[in-house]
Amino acid sequence: YNTQEEAANFVFHFTGHLSLKTLAIFFGLYFTYYATAVGLALPAGTLVPSMLSGCVMGRFIGELFSQHTSYNLDPGTAALIG
Protein backbone atom coordinates (compact mmCIF):
# COMPACT_ATOMS: atom_id res chain seq x y z
CA TYR A 1 0.00 0.00 0.00
CA ASN A 2 1.31 3.44 -0.96
CA THR A 3 0.25 6.87 0.22
CA GLN A 4 -1.17 9.36 -2.27
CA GLU A 5 2.08 11.31 -2.27
CA GLU A 6 4.09 8.15 -3.09
CA ALA A 7 1.66 7.33 -5.91
CA ALA A 8 2.10 10.81 -7.40
CA ASN A 9 5.89 10.48 -7.11
CA PHE A 10 5.71 7.12 -8.92
CA VAL A 11 3.59 8.58 -11.73
CA PHE A 12 6.04 11.48 -12.18
CA HIS A 13 9.33 9.58 -12.00
CA PHE A 14 8.70 6.03 -13.30
CA THR A 15 10.87 5.62 -16.40
CA GLY A 16 9.13 2.58 -17.91
CA HIS A 17 5.80 2.43 -19.67
CA LEU A 18 2.61 2.09 -17.65
CA SER A 19 -0.40 0.28 -19.04
CA LEU A 20 -3.09 2.55 -20.45
CA LYS A 21 -5.72 0.28 -18.89
CA THR A 22 -4.12 0.59 -15.45
CA LEU A 23 -3.93 4.38 -15.73
CA ALA A 24 -7.56 4.61 -16.87
CA ILE A 25 -8.79 2.48 -13.95
CA PHE A 26 -6.68 4.45 -11.47
CA PHE A 27 -7.97 7.76 -12.86
CA GLY A 28 -11.58 6.55 -12.70
CA LEU A 29 -11.27 5.48 -9.08
CA TYR A 30 -9.49 8.62 -7.90
CA PHE A 31 -11.76 10.94 -9.85
CA THR A 32 -14.78 9.24 -8.30
CA TYR A 33 -13.22 9.62 -4.85
CA TYR A 34 -12.50 13.29 -5.53
CA ALA A 35 -16.01 14.02 -6.84
CA THR A 36 -17.56 12.30 -3.82
CA ALA A 37 -15.34 14.18 -1.37
CA VAL A 38 -16.21 17.53 -2.98
CA GLY A 39 -19.94 16.76 -2.94
CA LEU A 40 -20.05 15.92 0.76
CA ALA A 41 -20.77 18.64 3.27
CA LEU A 42 -17.82 17.49 5.37
CA PRO A 43 -14.28 18.77 5.54
CA ALA A 44 -12.29 16.38 3.40
CA GLY A 45 -8.86 16.56 1.85
CA THR A 46 -9.45 17.28 -1.82
CA LEU A 47 -6.13 18.84 -2.82
CA VAL A 48 -4.06 15.67 -3.20
CA PRO A 49 -6.80 13.62 -4.94
CA SER A 50 -7.36 16.42 -7.46
CA MET A 51 -3.63 16.76 -8.12
CA LEU A 52 -3.22 12.99 -8.39
CA SER A 53 -6.13 12.74 -10.83
CA GLY A 54 -4.57 15.44 -12.98
CA CYS A 55 -1.13 13.87 -13.02
CA VAL A 56 -2.54 10.42 -13.85
CA MET A 57 -4.54 11.91 -16.74
CA GLY A 58 -1.40 13.70 -17.94
CA ARG A 59 0.58 10.45 -17.70
CA PHE A 60 -2.17 8.68 -19.65
CA ILE A 61 -1.91 11.24 -22.45
CA GLY A 62 1.90 11.07 -22.36
CA GLU A 63 1.85 7.27 -22.59
CA LEU A 64 -0.71 7.47 -25.41
CA PHE A 65 1.53 9.85 -27.36
CA SER A 66 4.72 7.88 -26.73
CA GLN A 67 3.17 4.51 -27.67
CA HIS A 68 1.07 5.50 -30.68
CA THR A 69 2.84 8.45 -32.32
CA SER A 70 6.35 9.31 -33.36
CA TYR A 71 6.28 12.46 -31.21
CA ASN A 72 8.87 12.11 -28.44
CA LEU A 73 6.97 13.20 -25.32
CA ASP A 74 8.22 12.13 -21.91
CA PRO A 75 5.23 10.70 -19.99
CA GLY A 76 6.60 12.09 -16.71
CA THR A 77 6.60 15.61 -18.17
CA ALA A 78 3.03 15.14 -19.37
CA ALA A 79 2.10 14.01 -15.84
CA LEU A 80 3.60 17.20 -14.45
CA ILE A 81 1.64 19.33 -16.92
CA GLY A 82 -1.58 17.41 -16.16
Side-chain angles (χ1 to χ4, degrees):
Y1 177 76
N2 290 333
T3 63
Q4 294 176 356
E5 291 82 7
E6 290 172 346
N9 189 22
F10 178 78
V11 171
F12 286 136
H13 298 293
F14 183 68
T15 56
H17 289 288
L18 296 172
S19 166
L20 294 176
K21 182 178 178 182
T22 303
L23 290 170
I25 291 170
F26 189 82
F27 174 76
L29 290 174
Y30 258 83
F31 187 77
T32 302
Y33 167 67
Y34 171 68
T36 303
V38 168
L40 294 175
L42 301 171
T46 59
L47 178 66
V48 175
S50 67
M51 289 176 57
L52 190 55
S53 296
C55 79
V56 168
M57 181 53 78
R59 180 72 186 220
F60 181 84
I61 292 170
E63 290 287 344
L64 194 66
F65 267 73
S66 69
Q67 291 178 12
H68 298 293
T69 65
S70 61
Y71 188 69
N72 189 13
L73 175 67
D74 181 36
T77 303
L80 183 63
I81 293 169

